[in-house]
Amino acid sequence: MITPRFSVRQDEKQVYVTIHAPHVRAQAIEFDVDEYQFKFFASPYYLRLTFSGKVVEDEASTASFDAASGDITVALSKQTPGEQFENLDMLTSLLATSRERDTGETNIKKPIIEEIGGSISADDQIAILNDEDFEWELPQSLPVVGENELLVGKVKYGFNEQYSGLLAHVHSTANEVNEVSDPEHLNSEERRIQRVATEDAKFDDAYYMDNYMNDDDEIRLSIQFKTEFYSLLRQLQKAKKRVVTEPSTNSLIPQDVDTTEEVPLSEIIEFTDSEKKMMVDLPRKTHMISNRQAIYLGLVDILFSYSLDLRINQGEPTVESAWAIGAVSATFSNLEQFSTLDAVVAACFRRGLAYPLYRNWELCEKALEDIYVILKLGRRAVLKALLEIKSIFDKHDIYYIYSKLFIDDYCVWIQTLASDKAIRSLAHKLHNFEIEKDDLGWNLDALEDLALESSVEDEEYEEAGHNENANIDELDSLALGESNALADLSIDIQEGSSKADSSTCAGSNAGKRMVQIIGGDDASEIDQDLILPEKRENSQELQDDTDTLDEYPGSSIIENIVQSDQEPEAFKKEAQKKKGPLIEML
């Protein structure tokens, strides 16, 4: 038989069940109402729901079928109008049988084996409501090392330590989450020792210091990010109470009366159709929890890795999210079972600083704050987070095994056995919990001090290098100015030489040397008019040329070039001693 997709809502007088059963004949639909139970059958679909209150089939009860959409809507009357039926959005709990749902004082013996497809016994219900006062800092009980081996010959792991054999071939797969060398034989204490050693080896001092000093961009955005649960909490706080107008019962005062009532959490936190389908597909189990505190503490570890991945990816899971959540969670990666709140928070921070893309202390603190917000919202918010984690792991062809080991059972447990009182207590403890950096054993304060000192030294070095570069730039600017002046001067000299009528060979040699220094490599490049042994016709022009030379920097050098009989190479060496890089640049 197929369990159809369905949803349930209520008002003051009736309960409405909407069933999605396409391709059925209206004539084949059957209903049965029996106090707490409602049954629906239309081949191949079968649905059995168990409510917390009694329903009756009377004249006000109706049923309608929309053949186009395939939706069947059934309205059932409440036996006690005004009674609020609890947990109508917890679909897995609605699917449980009623065999052990007596609301009277019937004494039902606790089963000695776990029942598949069963529900919660009355004494378990009472224990859930009244016996959840945990001391989160102190372990209530520690499992005996080797106890499981004595009972069944091999260790147990997973939710409530009820599985074995599922990881026998884990090392032959590409499972990069698992860190336990021999999951089928190492007990919990041996796994814990191995986990601590692996975390110590994985922690990278340089990586941590780099993220500590450079948190301005992506890391800062992750720290400032707010998950959807923050907005849900604000909505809950704003709508904590609402005004309800009721007709007056006093005939003498026929005015309506305004009263206040608390807004149901189900109106704030709603499940999507895909989430409802996942709840319907969950296995039917009645868990016999051997260590309730360990289950709640494991929930903290899983929610921490989930919240950290949400922040790093800005609320959008990626293809790496399955690995990222599994690697940070000690529950997944090392099959850890915690006994104190101190131990689980320390493990969360250690792995949060050793595995993710961003390894920042403040980011880990924000992830811990996210857990508080989720727990503050209660079981529905926790279930919503668990369903998203399940969706992430179910889509992975290797890491889906962690849904089977943990998430499926957590989704069933949170709807059936989890206590709102215990969850509120855990949220309060986390809100006031303080963890010190020394608790991790990695001397983080010293690493941060070293990072700050290195940063100061780098700044001083960069500042010194900047000043040196500024001096070099200033010298280069001066040299460039002088070289430009000399280049302009050489042009004037060439123009003056073309006008001059030098009659001596020395004049022609000087002109030859000048052109070679300025840029000519061969005497053939020189204008032949410059070396003709003729006299200047106008001595005044020569005087003007001399006056022009006096106005430019380095004019004395050019004058020596013109007048000197030295060879060009010898003269260049002598000039280089006087002006250095200026002549070299020319």
Side-chain angles (χ1 to χ4, degrees), residues 155-168:
V155 299
K156 298 282 189 176
Y157 46 78
F159 181 86
N160 198 36
E161 293 192 321
Q162 62 181 335
Y163 297 104
S164 64
L166 295 182
L167 297 176

Side-chain angles (χ1 to χ4, degrees), residues 39-185:
K39 296 178 182 178
F40 159 80
F41 173 76
S43 181
Y45 300 102
Y46 175 76
L47 178 66
R48 181 192 61 242
L49 302 179
T50 305
F51 301 111
S52 60
K54 293 182 179 181
V55 293
V56 295
E57 187 177 4
D58 56 12
E59 295 180 355
S61 300
T62 61
S64 62
F65 176 51
D66 186 349
S69 63
D71 290 340
I72 303 169
T73 303
V74 182
L76 303 173
S77 298
K78 296 180 179 179
Q79 181 171 306
T80 305
E83 180 184 4
Q84 283 295 116
F85 287 12
E86 298 178 352
N87 302 325
L88 292 183
D89 54 347
M90 299 290 193
L91 303 186
T92 304
S93 63
L94 292 177
L95 293 171
T97 63
S98 62
R99 185 171 59 85
E100 296 178 349
R101 279 186 176 270
D102 276 333
T103 56
E105 296 184 0
T106 304
N107 292 325
I108 300 176
K109 294 182 179 180
K110 186 174 181 179
I112 59 175
I113 61 174
E114 181 178 79
E115 180 182 357
I116 305 300
S119 67
I120 310 162
S121 63
D123 55 347
D124 280 342
Q125 289 278 18
I126 295 173
I128 293 170
L129 295 176
N130 301 324
D131 192 25
E132 298 286 3
D133 293 324
F134 294 132
E135 181 58 50
W136 300 105
E137 286 79 10
L138 300 174
Q140 286 189 325
S141 61
L142 289 174
V144 178
V145 175
E147 182 179 7
N148 289 327
E149 293 90 325
L150 293 176
L151 293 176
V152 296
K154 58 176 64 176
V155 299
K156 298 282 189 176
Y157 46 78
F159 181 86
N160 198 36
E161 293 192 321
Q162 62 181 335
Y163 297 104
S164 64
L166 295 182
L167 297 176
H169 305 289
V170 65
H171 295 297
S172 62
T173 66
N175 189 331
E176 297 180 357
V177 169
N178 176 69
E179 292 181 347
V180 183
S181 59
D182 189 358
E184 301 299 330
H185 296 92

Side-chain angles (χ1 to χ4, degrees), residues 55 67 124 143 154 222 241 278 296 336 357-358 367 388 447 480 482-483 496 498 516 551 563-564 584:
V55 293
D124 280 342
K154 58 176 64 176
S222 299
K241 290 186 179 296
M278 283 192 286
Y296 286 103
E336 184 68 84
L357 175 63
Y358 304 139
E388 185 170 3
L447 293 177
L480 182 61
E482 291 193 15
S483 64
S498 63
Q516 287 177 336
E551 295 175 0
Q563 296 177 359
S564 174
E584 185 71 15

